[in-house]
Amino acid sequence: MKPKVARAVVYAPHFAEYSTRLAFALGEAAEVLLILDRLNREQEVEPALLAALPARVQWMEFESVGRFARMVSLVHIVLRVLAFRPHVIFMQEQIDALSAWVARTTGRVFPILLTVHDPAPHSGNDAQYVIDNAQNRRVLRATARAYHVHGPFCRRQLRREIEGDKPIVETAHGIILVSDSSARLDPEQGRILMFGRMEAYKGLDVLINAIGLLESRNIPHHLVIAGRGPELDRLAPTLAARRSVEIVNAYLTPSEASRQFQRASIVVTPYVNATQSGVVAAAFGNGRPVVASNTGGLADAVVHEANGLLAPPGDALALADVLQRALCDVPLLQHITRGAEASATRAFAWRTVAHSLTAFHQSTISGA
């Protein structure tokens, strides 16, 4: 049954591109109010994407820097939501105080479906942030009527983290960092991309050791590490010794990031632990397969020998073997590339995600 037209709010204190693309897909069948943090919107959402939003989608932005600005934003957000009278609020879990207050006030009137991107914190800086904002996290999760996660691993992890038996819907992570240009770049042979913020759990040290093994085997390759983070700073001297490594230590715009994904023939996510990954969704959206650690939610998204390859986490030798296989076995690389492209148009397509969320609201939340 096709979900009926409804009114939905998409509240995004973070994950601006993700939320804009979700609102775009929801807007095909529903009236949508998209609420974005201004700074996050400027970083993640290109003007062309906002300009292309369907007529059914309204959008507003708010300020989150400074106590007075947050107070004003809270009033504006609440009044706008009350006037819009949504059937459901799709809220992204960002555990700041403003979002907790938005949930407290609007959740008393309208059901909240909370998208929990990371049910439990990653090791490193993320863990400390969760500790510092534990009360906001409790408020958001307690106020939500139901939850949205990306894959079975995240569902199991969230069920362990929360009390009670509130319903959970799982979908794939919709594609992001996709250029709206119709012209797609051809991949460069042997080019491997690791993208994102380099934290300890991302396994950059494991990848460096694997690259050393590829160099010793004389396997042609070129690794590009694009992003910033403490691990990149810590490992800079070691990386400098690797002749096949290029570092792009910068924040990339969405179009710049898309170009990096498209120039690569393989995207690598050598994480030691993981929940879900927007990097995998970006790789598929740009038609590139992923070599990933067989850990957490990565194994829900990357299907071995279908849209990518899996290796045991923390094992540099195994990672080198899998990368070598992807680099040297041309028919295999072509096969998993086609699989990545297919994933982007099926489970990872925003229309698929939006349909699942709308159907879930219709069958579960609105009747709860």
CSV table of all heavy atoms in Angstrom, one decimal, residues 46-80:
chain,number,residue,atom,x,y,z
A,46,GLU,N,24.8,22.1,-0.7
A,46,GLU,CA,25.1,23.0,-1.8
A,46,GLU,C,23.8,23.7,-2.2
A,46,GLU,O,22.7,23.1,-2.2
A,46,GLU,CB,25.7,22.3,-3.0
A,46,GLU,CG,27.1,21.7,-2.6
A,46,GLU,CD,27.9,21.2,-3.8
A,46,GLU,OE1,27.2,20.7,-4.7
A,46,GLU,OE2,29.1,21.4,-3.8
A,47,PRO,N,23.9,25.0,-2.6
A,47,PRO,CA,22.6,25.7,-3.0
A,47,PRO,C,21.8,25.0,-4.0
A,47,PRO,O,20.5,25.1,-4.0
A,47,PRO,CB,23.2,27.1,-3.5
A,47,PRO,CG,24.5,27.2,-2.8
A,47,PRO,CD,25.1,25.8,-2.7
A,48,ALA,N,22.4,24.3,-5.0
A,48,ALA,CA,21.6,23.7,-6.0
A,48,ALA,C,20.7,22.6,-5.4
A,48,ALA,O,19.6,22.4,-6.0
A,48,ALA,CB,22.5,23.0,-7.0
A,49,LEU,N,21.1,22.0,-4.4
A,49,LEU,CA,20.2,20.9,-3.8
A,49,LEU,C,19.0,21.6,-3.1
A,49,LEU,O,17.9,21.1,-3.3
A,49,LEU,CB,21.0,20.1,-2.8
A,49,LEU,CG,20.2,19.0,-2.0
A,49,LEU,CD1,19.6,18.0,-3.0
A,49,LEU,CD2,21.1,18.3,-1.0
A,50,LEU,N,19.2,22.7,-2.4
A,50,LEU,CA,18.1,23.4,-1.8
A,50,LEU,C,17.2,24.0,-2.9
A,50,LEU,O,15.9,23.9,-2.7
A,50,LEU,CB,18.6,24.5,-0.9
A,50,LEU,CG,19.2,24.1,0.4
A,50,LEU,CD1,19.8,25.3,1.1
A,50,LEU,CD2,18.1,23.4,1.3
A,51,ALA,N,17.7,24.5,-3.9
A,51,ALA,CA,16.9,25.1,-5.0
A,51,ALA,C,16.1,24.0,-5.7
A,51,ALA,O,15.0,24.4,-6.2
A,51,ALA,CB,17.8,25.8,-6.0
A,52,ALA,N,16.5,22.8,-5.7
A,52,ALA,CA,15.8,21.7,-6.4
A,52,ALA,C,14.7,21.1,-5.5
A,52,ALA,O,14.0,20.2,-6.0
A,52,ALA,CB,16.8,20.7,-6.9
A,53,LEU,N,14.6,21.5,-4.3
A,53,LEU,CA,13.6,20.8,-3.4
A,53,LEU,C,12.2,20.9,-4.0
A,53,LEU,O,11.8,22.0,-4.6
A,53,LEU,CB,13.6,21.5,-2.0
A,53,LEU,CG,14.8,21.1,-1.1
A,53,LEU,CD1,14.8,22.0,0.2
A,53,LEU,CD2,14.7,19.7,-0.7
A,54,PRO,N,11.4,19.9,-3.8
A,54,PRO,CA,10.0,19.9,-4.4
A,54,PRO,C,9.2,21.1,-3.7
A,54,PRO,O,9.5,21.5,-2.6
A,54,PRO,CB,9.4,18.6,-4.0
A,54,PRO,CG,10.6,17.7,-3.7
A,54,PRO,CD,11.7,18.6,-3.2
A,55,ALA,N,8.1,21.5,-4.4
A,55,ALA,CA,7.3,22.6,-3.9
A,55,ALA,C,6.7,22.2,-2.6
A,55,ALA,O,6.3,23.1,-1.8
A,55,ALA,CB,6.2,22.9,-5.0
A,56,ARG,N,6.5,21.0,-2.3
A,56,ARG,CA,5.9,20.6,-1.0
A,56,ARG,C,6.8,20.8,0.2
A,56,ARG,O,6.4,20.7,1.3
A,56,ARG,CB,5.5,19.1,-1.1
A,56,ARG,CG,4.4,18.7,-2.0
A,56,ARG,CD,4.2,17.2,-2.0
A,56,ARG,NE,3.1,16.7,-2.8
A,56,ARG,CZ,1.9,16.5,-2.4
A,56,ARG,NH1,1.6,16.8,-1.2
A,56,ARG,NH2,1.0,16.1,-3.3
A,57,VAL,N,8.1,21.0,-0.1
A,57,VAL,CA,9.0,21.2,1.0
A,57,VAL,C,9.3,22.6,1.3
A,57,VAL,O,9.8,23.4,0.5
A,57,VAL,CB,10.4,20.5,0.7
A,57,VAL,CG1,11.4,20.6,1.8
A,57,VAL,CG2,10.1,19.0,0.4
A,58,GLN,N,9.0,23.0,2.5
A,58,GLN,CA,9.4,24.3,3.1
A,58,GLN,C,10.7,24.1,3.9
A,58,GLN,O,10.9,23.0,4.5
A,58,GLN,CB,8.4,24.9,4.0
A,58,GLN,CG,7.0,24.9,3.5
A,58,GLN,CD,6.0,25.3,4.6
A,58,GLN,OE1,6.2,26.1,5.5
A,58,GLN,NE2,4.8,24.7,4.5
A,59,TRP,N,11.6,25.1,4.0
A,59,TRP,CA,12.7,25.0,4.9
A,59,TRP,C,13.0,26.2,5.6
A,59,TRP,O,12.7,27.4,5.1
A,59,TRP,CB,13.9,24.4,4.1
A,59,TRP,CG,14.6,25.4,3.2
A,59,TRP,CD1,14.3,25.7,1.9
A,59,TRP,CD2,15.8,26.1,3.4
A,59,TRP,NE1,15.1,26.6,1.3
A,59,TRP,CE2,16.1,26.9,2.3
A,59,TRP,CE3,16.6,26.3,4.6
A,59,TRP,CZ2,17.2,27.7,2.2
A,59,TRP,CZ3,17.7,27.1,4.5
A,59,TRP,CH2,18.0,27.8,3.3
A,60,MET,N,13.6,26.1,6.8
A,60,MET,CA,14.0,27.2,7.6
A,60,MET,C,15.3,26.8,8.2
A,60,MET,O,15.7,25.6,8.3
A,60,MET,CB,13.0,27.5,8.7
A,60,MET,CG,12.7,26.4,9.7
A,60,MET,SD,11.7,26.9,11.1
A,60,MET,CE,12.9,27.8,12.1
A,61,GLU,N,16.0,27.8,8.7
A,61,GLU,CA,17.3,27.5,9.4
A,61,GLU,C,17.3,28.3,10.8
A,61,GLU,O,16.6,29.2,11.0
A,61,GLU,CB,18.5,27.9,8.6
A,61,GLU,CG,18.6,29.3,8.2
A,61,GLU,CD,19.7,29.6,7.2
A,61,GLU,OE1,20.3,28.6,6.7
A,61,GLU,OE2,20.1,30.7,7.0
A,62,PHE,N,18.2,27.8,11.6
A,62,PHE,CA,18.3,28.4,13.0
A,62,PHE,C,19.8,28.6,13.3
A,62,PHE,O,20.6,28.0,12.7
A,62,PHE,CB,17.5,27.6,14.0
A,62,PHE,CG,18.1,26.2,14.2
A,62,PHE,CD1,19.1,26.0,15.2
A,62,PHE,CD2,17.6,25.1,13.4
A,62,PHE,CE1,19.6,24.7,15.4
A,62,PHE,CE2,18.1,23.9,13.6
A,62,PHE,CZ,19.1,23.6,14.6
A,63,GLU,N,20.0,29.4,14.4
A,63,GLU,CA,21.3,29.7,14.9
A,63,GLU,C,21.5,28.8,16.1
A,63,GLU,O,20.6,28.8,17.0
A,63,GLU,CB,21.5,31.1,15.2
A,63,GLU,CG,21.3,32.1,14.0
A,63,GLU,CD,22.5,32.0,13.0
A,63,GLU,OE1,23.6,31.5,13.4
A,63,GLU,OE2,22.3,32.4,11.8
A,64,SER,N,22.7,28.3,16.3
A,64,SER,CA,23.0,27.4,17.5
A,64,SER,C,24.2,27.9,18.2
A,64,SER,O,24.6,27.3,19.2
A,64,SER,CB,23.2,26.0,17.0
A,64,SER,OG,24.3,25.9,16.1
A,65,VAL,N,24.8,29.0,17.8
A,65,VAL,CA,26.0,29.5,18.5
A,65,VAL,C,25.7,30.6,19.4
A,65,VAL,O,25.2,31.7,18.9
A,65,VAL,CB,27.1,29.9,17.5
A,65,VAL,CG1,28.3,30.5,18.2
A,65,VAL,CG2,27.5,28.8,16.6
A,66,GLY,N,25.9,30.4,20.7
A,66,GLY,CA,25.6,31.5,21.7
A,66,GLY,C,24.3,31.2,22.4
A,66,GLY,O,23.3,30.7,21.8
A,67,ARG,N,24.3,31.4,23.7
A,67,ARG,CA,23.1,31.1,24.5
A,67,ARG,C,21.8,31.8,24.1
A,67,ARG,O,20.8,31.3,23.9
A,67,ARG,CB,23.4,31.3,26.0
A,67,ARG,CG,22.2,31.2,26.9
A,67,ARG,CD,22.6,31.3,28.3
A,67,ARG,NE,22.6,30.0,29.0
A,67,ARG,CZ,22.9,29.8,30.2
A,67,ARG,NH1,23.3,30.8,31.0
A,67,ARG,NH2,22.8,28.6,30.7
A,68,PHE,N,22.0,33.2,23.8
A,68,PHE,CA,20.8,33.9,23.4
A,68,PHE,C,20.3,33.5,22.1
A,68,PHE,O,19.1,33.3,21.9
A,68,PHE,CB,21.2,35.4,23.4
A,68,PHE,CG,20.0,36.3,23.0
A,68,PHE,CD1,19.0,36.6,23.8
A,68,PHE,CD2,20.0,36.8,21.7
A,68,PHE,CE1,17.9,37.4,23.4
A,68,PHE,CE2,18.9,37.6,21.3
A,68,PHE,CZ,17.9,37.9,22.2
A,69,ALA,N,21.2,33.2,21.1
A,69,ALA,CA,20.8,32.7,19.8
A,69,ALA,C,20.0,31.4,19.9
A,69,ALA,O,19.0,31.2,19.2
A,69,ALA,CB,22.0,32.6,18.9
A,70,ARG,N,20.5,30.5,20.8
A,70,ARG,CA,19.8,29.2,21.0
A,70,ARG,C,18.4,29.4,21.6
A,70,ARG,O,17.4,28.7,21.2
A,70,ARG,CB,20.6,28.3,21.9
A,70,ARG,CG,21.9,27.8,21.1
A,70,ARG,CD,22.5,26.6,21.9
A,70,ARG,NE,23.1,27.1,23.2
A,70,ARG,CZ,24.3,27.5,23.3
A,70,ARG,NH1,25.1,27.6,22.3
A,70,ARG,NH2,24.8,27.8,24.5
A,71,MET,N,18.3,30.4,22.5
A,71,MET,CA,16.9,30.7,23.1
A,71,MET,C,16.0,31.2,22.1
A,71,MET,O,14.8,30.7,22.0
A,71,MET,CB,17.1,31.7,24.3
A,71,MET,CG,17.8,31.1,25.5
A,71,MET,SD,18.1,32.4,26.7
A,71,MET,CE,16.4,32.9,27.1
A,72,VAL,N,16.4,32.1,21.2
A,72,VAL,CA,15.6,32.6,20.2
A,72,VAL,C,15.2,31.5,19.2
A,72,VAL,O,14.1,31.4,18.7
A,72,VAL,CB,16.3,33.8,19.4
A,72,VAL,CG1,15.5,34.2,18.2
A,72,VAL,CG2,16.5,35.0,20.4
A,73,SER,N,16.2,30.7,18.8
A,73,SER,CA,16.0,29.6,17.9
A,73,SER,C,14.9,28.6,18.4
A,73,SER,O,14.1,28.2,17.7
A,73,SER,CB,17.3,28.8,17.6
A,73,SER,OG,18.2,29.6,16.9
A,74,LEU,N,15.0,28.3,19.7
A,74,LEU,CA,14.0,27.4,20.3
A,74,LEU,C,12.6,27.9,20.1
A,74,LEU,O,11.7,27.2,19.7
A,74,LEU,CB,14.3,27.2,21.8
A,74,LEU,CG,13.3,26.4,22.6
A,74,LEU,CD1,13.3,24.9,22.0
A,74,LEU,CD2,13.7,26.3,24.1
A,75,VAL,N,12.4,29.2,20.4
A,75,VAL,CA,11.1,29.8,20.3
A,75,VAL,C,10.6,29.7,18.8
A,75,VAL,O,9.5,29.3,18.5
A,75,VAL,CB,11.1,31.3,20.7
A,75,VAL,CG1,9.7,31.9,20.4
A,75,VAL,CG2,11.4,31.3,22.3
A,76,HIS,N,11.5,30.1,17.9
A,76,HIS,CA,11.1,30.1,16.5
A,76,HIS,C,10.8,28.7,16.0
A,76,HIS,O,9.8,28.5,15.2
A,76,HIS,CB,12.3,30.7,15.6
A,76,HIS,CG,12.4,32.2,15.7
A,76,HIS,ND1,13.5,32.9,15.2
A,76,HIS,CD2,11.6,33.1,16.3
A,76,HIS,CE1,13.3,34.1,15.4
A,76,HIS,NE2,12.2,34.3,16.1
A,77,ILE,N,11.6,27.7,16.4
A,77,ILE,CA,11.4,26.3,15.9
A,77,ILE,C,10.1,25.8,16.5
A,77,ILE,O,9.3,25.2,15.7
A,77,ILE,CB,12.6,25.4,16.4
A,77,ILE,CG1,13.9,25.8,15.6
A,77,ILE,CG2,12.2,23.9,16.2
A,77,ILE,CD1,15.1,25.1,16.2
A,78,VAL,N,9.8,26.0,17.8
A,78,VAL,CA,8.6,25.5,18.4
A,78,VAL,C,7.4,26.1,17.7
A,78,VAL,O,6.4,25.4,17.4
A,78,VAL,CB,8.6,25.7,19.9
A,78,VAL,CG1,7.3,25.3,20.5
A,78,VAL,CG2,9.7,24.8,20.5
A,79,LEU,N,7.4,27.4,17.6
A,79,LEU,CA,6.3,28.1,17.0
A,79,LEU,C,6.0,27.6,15.5
A,79,LEU,O,4.9,27.4,15.1
A,79,LEU,CB,6.5,29.6,17.0
A,79,LEU,CG,6.4,30.3,18.4
A,79,LEU,CD1,6.7,31.8,18.3
A,79,LEU,CD2,5.0,30.0,19.1
A,80,ARG,N,7.1,27.5,14.8
A,80,ARG,CA,6.9,27.0,13.4
A,80,ARG,C,6.4,25.6,13.3
A,80,ARG,O,5.5,25.3,12.5
A,80,ARG,CB,8.3,27.1,12.7
A,80,ARG,CG,8.2,26.9,11.2
A,80,ARG,CD,7.6,28.1,10.5
A,80,ARG,NE,7.6,27.8,9.0
A,80,ARG,CZ,8.5,28.2,8.2
A,80,ARG,NH1,9.6,28.8,8.6
A,80,ARG,NH2,8.4,27.9,6.9
